[in-house]
Amino acid sequence: MEISARIFLAGAGPGSAGLLTVRLAWLLGRAGIVLHDSLIGPDVLALARPGAELVDVGKRCGGKAHPQAEICRLLVEAGQSGALVVRLKGGDPMIFGRAAEEMEALRAAGLAFEVVPGITAASAAAAALAVSLTKRDVSRAVHFLAAHGSEGGLPPHDWAALAAAGGTLAVYMGVRTLPVLAQKLVAAGMAPDMPAAAVENVSLPDQRIWRSSLAMLPAILARVEPAGPVLLLIGAALG
Ligand SMILES: C[S@@+](CC[C@H](N)C(=O)[O-])C[C@H]1O[C@@H](n2cnc3c(N)ncnc32)[C@H](O)[C@@H]1O
């Protein structure tokens, strides 16, 4: 396999090692340093070359996660060491993965890098539900939404435009803000009985799925209190 750089921003997919790209598995078998998020599971990390330095950059020290600036600094430092470096993120690095900051830091340091895509949680959740996100004549768009922004709460999306667009909404980081998100969508004209689903720990052995309606899903999640990451899907394609 050809490589054009020594630093790779790579997506590990939603969790199952079976959903990694062949390219990433190949790179993990050769990397000297792997900087990974905390949610990257042991099955994926087991693909790393024996003796590789594995650094959990999501690890909480003193109750706080590494700030993004510190992760960028560690990444640049690793890149400058000359080792083959894999920066491993969950899902796809370009979807809510803070890849922009890390690419900017590498560019500023004059370090070449390559991005290796991964399966994003929305694709894996669609597979788990056996639902086409773009069901013909039902949903002509997919919107990837963050339900938790840098300000700490639900970002100010254009709810009326989303409700009117008639596509499938794939909602990341949405468990805590789902009650408000559902209210906003209904107030903007979306039907309360719009089909909706939540998938926790998609692709992993402890995956759990809840299928309901936009109006009912918040109460279901409040009752089951999922502890793992959850991807929400909302739209007529789920019906
Ligand atoms: C910071 S975002 C990272 C998204 C990731 N880059 C991707 O492409 O899937 C974290 C959110 O992704 C979703 N997510 C990531 N992994 C998941 C999984 N295994 N099961 C369900 N949702 C997941 C959840 O909504 C979680 O709160």
Side-chain angles (χ1 to χ4, degrees):
M1 219 174 275
E2 303 251 319
I3 57 170
S4 59
R6 304 280 300 162
I7 306 170
F8 296 84
L9 294 189
S16 163
L19 294 180
L20 284 184
T21 60
V22 172
R23 184 160 184 76
L24 176 55
W26 185 86
L27 286 166
L28 282 173
R30 283 159 185 77
I33 303 177
V34 179
L35 303 174
H36 65 90
D37 289 347
S38 289
L39 280 179
I40 305 294
D43 292 357
V44 171
L45 295 177
L47 299 171
R49 179 170 67 78
E53 189 185 341
L54 302 182
V55 185
D56 181 352
V57 294
K59 196 170 187 171
R60 288 171 182 270
C61 34
K64 285 195 172 159
H66 280 286
Q68 186 59 44
E70 172 69 0
I71 296 175
C72 291
R73 192 189 64 73
L74 290 171
L75 177 59
V76 167
E77 202 175 274
Q80 286 169 337
S81 75
L84 192 76
V85 178
V86 172
R87 168 71 178 104
L88 201 50
K89 294 165 174 289
D92 184 278
M94 306 309 229
I95 306 275
F96 305 128
R98 308 291 297 266
E101 290 103 311
E102 294 178 26
M103 293 189 292
E104 190 47 44
L106 291 170
R107 286 190 195 106
L111 293 166
F113 61 88
E114 179 190 313
V115 179
V116 180
I119 294 178
T120 191
S123 299
L129 291 159
V131 152
S132 166
L133 301 181
T134 55
K135 190 173 177 186
R136 191 170 166 81
D137 296 334
V138 174
S139 167
R140 294 191 172 88
V142 181
H143 308 271
F144 295 91
L145 294 190
H148 191 268
S150 50
E151 314 82 8
L154 187 63
H157 295 294
D158 185 340
W159 304 107
L162 288 170
T168 306
L169 306 184
V171 183
Y172 293 72
M173 300 167 275
V175 172
R176 263 198 293 149
T177 53
L178 177 61
V180 184
L181 179 141
Q183 269 172 23
K184 299 251 182 211
L185 286 171
V186 171
M190 190 175 277
D193 62 352
M194 182 65 79
V199 186
E200 179 190 21
N201 291 322
V202 63
S203 83
L204 293 167
D206 50 358
Q207 169 179 293
R208 292 196 291 173
I209 290 177
W210 299 274
R211 296 186 78 136
S212 183
S213 64
L214 178 58
M216 299 303 292
L217 196 60
I220 293 173
L221 291 190
R223 197 177 66 243
V224 296
E225 294 184 357
V230 173
L231 193 285
L232 307 169
L233 291 173
I234 302 164
L238 282 99

